[in-house]
Amino acid sequence: MRIPSVTPLTPGPLLPYPRRPQDPDERIRGWYENDLGWATVPGTPVRLIAGRRFDVLDVPAAAGYAALRRLAPGRAPVAVRGQRMWLLVAAGSAEELPGVLQWLEWGGLPLDITAIGAGGTIEAPLPPGPPGAGLPGQGVDVRGPSPWGPDARRPEGPAQGAAVWLRPPGAGCEVEASLPTVSALSALPTPGATGGAPDLVRLVDTVATECHRVRLRRAGAQPLAFS
């Protein structure tokens, strides 16, 4: 009996293993660290380190929107998360805040303004951008009228509830140049005056005024204890 010959198989090219999709948190981290040069905290979720490139004023969102409508248009980044707004200011401003509030005669009132500086962190807002650009926060609708205009819109879309940029930072070192700082302790400009980014004193005074108004409105809405 004749055994048929068997032609040996020629090994073909090795197929690469399918690439694992990049973790969304790592894409977010890469945007902050590589595009902006901002330091992040290891772990999940991604958190930004304050006190190096910027400090943060954490204020009620209602007061923050009202303050932005009163201030001249600026370029300083602004983010929102739920009922809170984060206003980025120059590094070191957190240490200046108590003195500025005292100088403005706001020091004795509960304004619900928190400064986050060296040693603090904030949740990394989802990066903005067009849909399909590869980042989880891209495609969130934070566009529309200017945030300081009368029709400032709250973020909408699939990332509602997460921190998102209302006025996102631009890549490069120009972010620092746009941040409010203690440039002068002179007379405060009138609300709505034109100009660049407000100095820290004007920003704090405007935000404190709106925080006080929000507190008074909430107090007025509370039912009387004996009613």
Side-chain angles (χ1 to χ4, degrees):
M1 181 177 179
R2 183 177 180 182
I3 301 176
S5 61
V6 178
T7 304
L9 297 176
T10 303
L14 296 178
L15 297 177
Y17 288 104
R19 297 182 61 183
R20 295 178 58 186
Q22 188 179 15
D23 183 83
D25 282 340
E26 291 307 311
R27 293 202 296 271
I28 295 173
R29 191 184 309 279
W31 186 74
Y32 282 105
E33 293 185 349
N34 301 328
D35 291 16
L36 298 181
W38 291 6
T40 64
V41 179
T44 301
V46 181
R47 300 189 66 84
L48 304 177
I49 299 176
R52 299 183 182 179
R53 301 284 298 274
F54 58 85
D55 285 356
V56 181
L57 296 185
D58 182 340
V59 304
Y65 278 105
L68 291 178
R69 287 194 293 266
R70 292 181 55 194
L71 293 165
R75 296 180 294 115
V78 178
V80 288
R81 185 181 188 278
Q83 299 302 312
R84 306 296 297 183
M85 178 177 288
W86 297 334
L87 303 163
L88 269 62
V89 292
S93 297
E95 297 179 2
E96 302 281 355
L97 181 63
V100 171
L101 287 172
Q102 194 67 34
W103 186 81
L104 292 167
E105 300 182 353
W106 286 111
L109 294 174
L111 298 172
D112 197 13
I113 301 177
T114 302
I116 305 172
T121 64
I122 62 169
E123 176 187 330
L126 299 174
L135 287 167
Q138 295 184 335
V140 176
D141 184 10
V142 294
R143 297 169 297 174
S146 299
W148 51 83
D151 300 319
R153 292 166 57 182
R154 278 60 170 171
E156 302 171 354
Q160 190 172 14
V164 293
W165 288 111
L166 182 67
R167 187 194 295 158
C173 297
E174 69 270 12
V175 172
E176 279 82 351
S178 71
L179 299 180
T181 184
V182 182
S183 59
L185 291 178
S186 56
L188 297 175
T190 57
T194 58
D199 60 64
L200 183 67
V201 177
R202 177 171 40 158
L203 175 64
V204 169
D205 189 54
T206 306
V207 170
T209 299
E210 298 303 332
C211 286
H212 184 55
R213 289 175 175 170
V214 168
R215 188 177 69 88
L216 291 178
R217 286 196 298 269
R218 289 175 179 172
Q222 295 291 332
L224 297 177
F226 52 83
S227 61

